[in-house]
Amino acid sequence: MEIKIAPSILASNLAMLGEEGRRMQAAGADMLHVDIMDGHFVPNLSFGPALTAALHRACGLALDVHLMLCDPLRYLQDFAKAGAAVITFHAEADSPLSDTLDAIHALGCRAGLVLKPATPAETVFPYLSRCETVMVMTVEPGFGGQTFMPDMLSKISAVRREALRQGLSPDIEVDGGIDCHTAQQAAAAGANLLVAGSALFGERDYAKAVSRLRAAARAAQK
Ligand code: DX5
Ligand code: ZN
């Protein structure tokens, strides 16, 4: 599967969001990951639809919107209107999973389920055929800059194995603590869409950081 890189804008210079997005586009990133937190589902607050729309206007990258919301169903239309290409939401959220996936597709976006570290792989199995993306959190959601949890590697493999068994090839996305070393481990386990915040925005040369991460993951795939 093609390796895709999605820098997480949460780790950027927030006073210059548009410019940061454009720099990542020029650096060869495939998408821009936008973390939406409601202060309830996770103990942090971040961005909303208006800021997402502004980011969409400012840079040409497809937006990968990660909803860390108790009731994602209620806000789907706002984020679709804001220009989201992909909307992912948590399997642990209160909205009915099936209806939420259907609603995302009806709005013309790609859909994905996200699993917190404690949620087993099997939770997504019944929904795999309707997920363009499955995201395995490799940290507890809520904050950037945390340490990758190696225990999640077996979950990544379990999702990839089951997808193959069902004849499906969704993007398997990993989020949290991804750098060249952990990207390699995640890609070897079956992940192909890598979210990285601090490891990319913490570098001076974005193009070099993006290609290094991509090369590390590609090498591990073979
Ligand atoms: C955490 C967010 C992540 C975060 C990743 O809740 O979902 O997208 O920005 O940041 P790093 O790569 O620094 O762990
Ligand atoms: Zn995220």
Side-chain angles (χ1 to χ4, degrees):
M1 297 239 0
E2 189 200 343
I3 295 289
K4 293 178 227 172
I5 308 291
S8 175
I9 200 77
L10 189 67
S12 70
N13 177 349
L14 298 179
M16 302 182 66
L17 278 179
E19 178 61 18
E20 291 280 67
R22 285 192 293 272
R23 282 183 66 199
M24 277 302 174
Q25 185 176 9
D30 299 284
M31 313 183 84
L32 200 60
H33 185 83
V34 187
D35 286 305
I36 310 296
M37 307 180 186
D38 66 357
H40 292 278
F41 187 78
V42 289
N44 196 7
L45 292 159
S46 61
F47 318 127
L51 192 137
T52 306
L55 200 52
H56 180 60
R57 285 192 295 270
C59 105
L61 283 173
L63 300 184
D64 173 36
V65 175
H66 173 194
L67 298 181
M68 285 163 271
L69 305 177
C70 290
D71 190 6
L73 188 52
R74 193 170 149 194
Y75 296 97
L76 295 179
Q77 205 167 358
D78 296 338
F79 285 101
K81 243 170 129 186
V86 182
I87 299 180
T88 65
F89 65 101
H90 278 260
E92 308 84 6
D94 298 330
S95 309
L97 303 189
S98 210
D99 294 352
T100 308
L101 287 169
D102 287 348
I104 295 172
H105 287 139
L107 289 163
C109 301
R110 283 179 273 153
L113 275 166
V114 189
L115 300 173
K116 280 198 198 183
T119 308
E122 291 73 22
T123 311
V124 296
F125 290 178
Y127 306 97
L128 275 179
S129 64
R130 290 192 285 152
C131 290
E132 282 77 31
T133 302
V134 175
M135 186 155 87
V136 176
M137 289 306 303
T138 41
V139 298
E140 283 299 337
F143 299 90
Q146 303 182 76
T147 305
F148 180 84
M149 298 167 74
D151 287 2
M152 297 302 115
L153 292 169
S154 56
K155 194 193 289 187
I156 297 166
S157 317
V159 175
R160 182 58 81 199
R161 212 180 309 122
E162 176 62 16
L164 282 172
R165 200 190 63 80
Q166 293 188 29
L168 303 166
S169 47
D171 282 325
I172 298 189
E173 182 169 13
V174 280
D175 185 11
I178 297 296
D179 58 21
C180 285
H181 178 64
T182 56
Q184 233 159 18
Q185 297 178 313
N192 69 298
L193 173 49
L194 310 173
V195 176
S198 28
L200 294 178
F201 285 103
E203 293 293 319
R204 196 196 281 264
D205 186 337
Y206 291 176
K208 205 184 262 177
V210 168
S211 39
R212 224 187 262 148
L213 194 62
R214 197 191 303 279
R218 274 194 187 141
Q221 270 186 319
K222 285 165 196 158

